[in-house]
Amino acid sequence: MSDTTWQIITMVIYFLVMIGIGLWAYKRTTDVDDYMLGGRQLNPLVAALSAGASDMSGWLLMGLPGALYVSGLVEFWIAIGLTAGAWLNWKFVAPRLRSYTEVSNNSITVPSFLDSRLRDSTHALRIVAGLIILFYFTFYVSSGMVAGGTFFEGAFGVDYRAGMILIAAITLFYTLVGGFLAVSYTDVVQGLMMMAALVLVPAVGIAHVGGWNSMIDKARAVDPDLLSPFAGLTAVGLISALAWGLGYFGQPHIIVRFMALRNPKEAVSARRIGIGWMLLAVFGALGTAFVGIAIFRYENNPLANPEQVFIVLGQLLFHPFIAGFMLAAILAAIMSTVSSQLLVSSSALIEDVYMTFTNRKLDAKKGVMLSRLAVGGIAVLAAGLAWTPNDTILGLVAFAWAGFGASFGPTILLSLFWRKLTGFGALSGMAMGAVTVAVWGNIDGGMFDLYEIVPGFIVNLVVTMVVSLVTYRPNAIIEREFDMAAELAKDWSKHAEYEAQMIEFRRNNPDGYKPRSATLRTEDGGEMELPK
């Protein structure tokens, strides 16, 4: 049996598992809350691995090892910044966001939370936030499809468009039928595949080159600077690399996992699992790069494409069936991100734009149907954009992380931890952050070499706080919800007691509040009827 046949068998097994999970989740999805947020019933393991897998994409197995293979340890600062940002996000944002989104009208999307949290009667903030998400993620999904098509073209010689359609079709299927549960549980499988691959390749590779000391000696012989984290590093470069961590606070496809936890206290376990996974993954990428240096650059046989170092090592070090698993891990990284972005884009279109403009509530069946149609429509549009690979699309993805981080990051942090945030302040800061990233990212030289997320984040933060201080007016329900969200983030056992108090409090302080549903999820996973 040929090597290619073995690898195709592995791919087929992987695809069948993804489809099976989608069908399993389909039977457990009955309404929009289930489809968009899994009924807020994710356990810490699923939430942590889902957040990690949807975050990293192909960058973890191709981009990072390739950069480290070329430049050495100096490229590891981005991984350090990302890991620190992820830890801070789980530590401070996750528990507060989980409690606050349920406290504030049981919000199931980031824009709907901001709308409810700030009592924006115009709903402009919700619509603008939804449109920002929809715009960026349509191109982001497209870039994932481009990566999938390019992968099949390079690995198997399959036509680019055929490979892209295959990736799009399978990812669309399990996302469309299974919604959030399918995306989350396929992320678990994909996250474990990515971690296993990034542990196995460097472990076997180090043995192959004669051990750790031999690998380091060979890397030093190629270029001593490869072992220095400061070689050629400037202050602007260091700040830019570490600033990648700021992006975590504003990535909708990541923080939505916080909202889906069963309760805020489980963010602690999820943080430990998620950061443990991330450390294994990034150090695995580092080990992969240095094994590649010891095998290819030391033997004066450098790779034509450094980003292929993980693929080439997998094919060199393992049986073709296991090598196929390594290739599937790359697909897993791509598909986990695409599926998450499809779902968040769908929720922005239906929950934040369509329902806000039409001012209507949807019954469970129609809500799920429209959400599935939205997933399909966005996927078709993204596939159309990816039909002919375009550097402009991939260039947009390069600063999309900064765009989301600068647009939503300060707004999310202030909404959770600063009671004087206002709707007009949030809208002004969000717009200015997005504009700053777009302008700064298209100017080169001098101070403009600084990663655009830094000025964008700062501008958003300053503008939001100044405008909010000018426009702030006390609101009894906002104040009450802010205090209770903070309290419940620390002690979820008061959840049911709080709901009864808040219902009565809203009756006495009406402001047009309308609950999303007549039932409330309880701590044990059941439901209770809200008082009429």
Side-chain angles (χ1 to χ4, degrees):
M1 193 178 294
S2 68
D3 290 359
T4 301
T5 302
W6 279 111
Q7 292 169 6
I8 289 175
I9 290 173
T10 307
M11 293 290 171
V12 170
I13 293 172
Y14 165 69
F15 286 144
L16 289 175
V17 171
M18 297 299 101
I19 292 171
I21 294 174
L23 293 172
W24 169 83
Y26 175 77
K27 298 179 180 179
R28 289 161 174 77
T29 300
T30 59
D31 58 25
V32 177
D33 283 25
D34 286 337
Y35 192 81
M36 297 298 183
L37 212 59
R40 297 189 191 267
Q41 290 299 302
L42 286 195
N43 64 55
L45 174 67
V46 175
L49 292 183
S50 181
S54 62
D55 161 27
M56 285 301 184
S57 188
W59 173 84
L60 182 63
L61 287 91
M62 298 178 72
L64 180 58
L68 290 164
Y69 171 86
V70 172
S71 304
L73 282 176
V74 70
E75 294 290 346
F76 201 63
W77 287 107
I78 291 178
I80 293 172
L82 287 171
T83 304
W87 186 88
L88 292 170
N89 212 21
W90 276 109
K91 173 68 174 179
F92 298 104
V93 174
R96 185 70 70 93
L97 186 65
R98 172 58 183 89
S99 67
Y100 215 149
T101 51
E102 185 160 346
V103 162
S104 192
N105 202 14
N106 192 27
S107 306
I108 64 173
T109 68
V110 171
S112 66
F113 164 66
L114 294 174
D115 179 83
S116 176
R117 153 73 174 89
L118 300 170
R119 292 304 190 272
D120 179 16
S121 59
T122 67
H123 303 300
L125 178 62
R126 181 174 185 175
I127 292 172
V128 169
L131 291 174
I132 289 174
I133 290 173
L134 189 61
F135 174 78
Y136 271 115
F137 273 152
T138 299
F139 286 92
Y140 223 145
V141 170
S142 177
S143 74
M145 292 182 182
V146 170
T150 303
F151 167 82
F152 268 101
E153 187 176 45
F156 298 107
V158 175
D159 177 72
Y160 162 80
R161 289 171 180 168
M164 186 203 74
I165 291 172
L166 179 62
I167 289 292
I170 294 175
T171 308
L172 174 61
F173 175 82
Y174 72 72
T175 306
L176 190 147
V177 302
F180 189 84
L181 283 178
V183 170
S184 297
Y185 280 90
T186 53
D187 280 351
V188 171
V189 176
Q190 292 160 338
L192 291 174
M193 288 175 65
M194 293 158 65
M195 183 181 70
L198 283 168
V199 169
L200 284 174
V201 168
V204 174
I206 289 171
H208 179 82
V209 300
W212 176 269
N213 290 335
S214 176
M215 181 184 72
I216 297 300
D217 290 341
K218 290 179 178 179
R220 185 178 290 110
V222 171
D223 184 353
D225 284 346
L226 292 172
L227 300 172
S228 171
F230 301 102
L233 185 67
T234 64
V236 168
L238 178 60
I239 295 171
S240 296
L242 294 177
W244 276 77
L246 290 175
Y248 273 106
F249 304 120
Q251 303 300 318
H253 61 302
I254 296 174
I255 62 178
V256 73
R257 267 68 184 172
F258 304 161
M259 297 159 61
L261 284 166
R262 289 181 298 207
N263 57 66
K265 66 184 180 184
E266 291 190 340
V268 176
S269 300
R271 182 182 78 243
R272 292 168 181 166
I273 295 168
I275 299 303
W277 178 90
M278 196 168 182
L279 288 172
L280 284 173
V282 296
F283 278 105
L286 175 63
T288 297
F290 273 83
V291 168
I293 292 170
I295 292 178
F296 302 115
R297 294 186 64 182
Y298 180 76
E299 299 293 340
N300 200 27
N301 185 29
L303 297 172
N305 183 355
E307 292 190 342
Q308 298 289 322
V309 62
F310 176 84
I311 296 175
V312 176
L313 284 175
Q315 294 171 331
L316 173 69
L317 299 172
F318 297 95
H319 182 277
F321 182 77
I322 304 300
F325 164 81
M326 302 300 173
L327 295 177
I330 297 174
L331 280 185
I334 295 169
M335 292 170 66
S336 61
T337 302
V338 168
S339 60
S340 296
Q341 292 166 348
L342 272 176
L343 197 65
V344 173
S345 300
S346 168
S347 67
L349 180 59
I350 300 302
E351 181 77 10
D352 302 314
V353 178
Y354 173 81
M355 289 177 63
T356 303
F357 271 122
T358 59
N359 194 29
R360 66 173 65 176
K361 289 288 183 181
L362 299 175
D363 60 53
K365 186 176 181 179
K366 186 174 181 181
V368 173
M369 180 192 70
L370 285 177
S371 298
R372 287 178 171 141
L373 286 174
V375 167
I378 293 165
V380 170
L381 177 59
L385 291 170
W387 194 248
T388 301
N390 189 319
D391 289 338
T392 302
I393 296 173
L394 298 178
L396 175 63
V397 174
F399 66 82
W401 181 270
F404 279 122
S407 298
F408 291 109
T411 309
I412 292 295
L413 291 173
L414 291 173
S415 70
L416 298 177
F417 298 102
W418 192 48
R419 67 176 68 243
K420 292 187 177 181
L421 177 67
T422 67
F424 193 61
L427 184 60
S428 302
M430 189 182 301
M432 289 302 297
V435 169
T436 301
V437 166
V439 173
W440 194 283
N442 285 284
I443 303 176
D444 297 321
M447 62 183 291
F448 292 102
D449 288 337
L450 182 67
Y451 185 30
E452 53 265 30
I453 196 173
V454 177
F457 198 96
I458 293 172
V459 168
N460 184 341
L461 190 65
V462 171
V463 170
T464 300
M465 295 187 72
V466 170
V467 176
S468 292
L469 287 172
V470 173
T471 59
Y472 174 74
R473 300 291 184 274
N475 180 296
I477 288 186
I478 291 178
E479 298 289 331
R480 181 66 169 167
E481 286 184 352
F482 186 93
D483 292 334
M484 292 306 298
E487 192 173 328
L488 288 174
K490 299 176 182 178
D491 185 2
W492 190 246
S493 64
K494 299 179 181 179
H495 179 223
E497 174 189 347
Y498 153 73
E499 273 298 329
Q501 293 177 6
M502 276 307 297
I503 290 167
E504 184 62 28
F505 188 80
R506 290 185 183 112
R507 286 198 187 105
N508 297 330
N509 298 271
D511 70 340
Y513 172 87
K514 296 179 180 179
R516 283 182 44 82
S517 64
T519 60
L520 169 71
R521 299 275 185 180
T522 59
E523 188 171 7
D524 61 5
E527 291 185 341
M528 62 177 284
E529 291 291 326
L530 297 180
K532 304 296 183 183

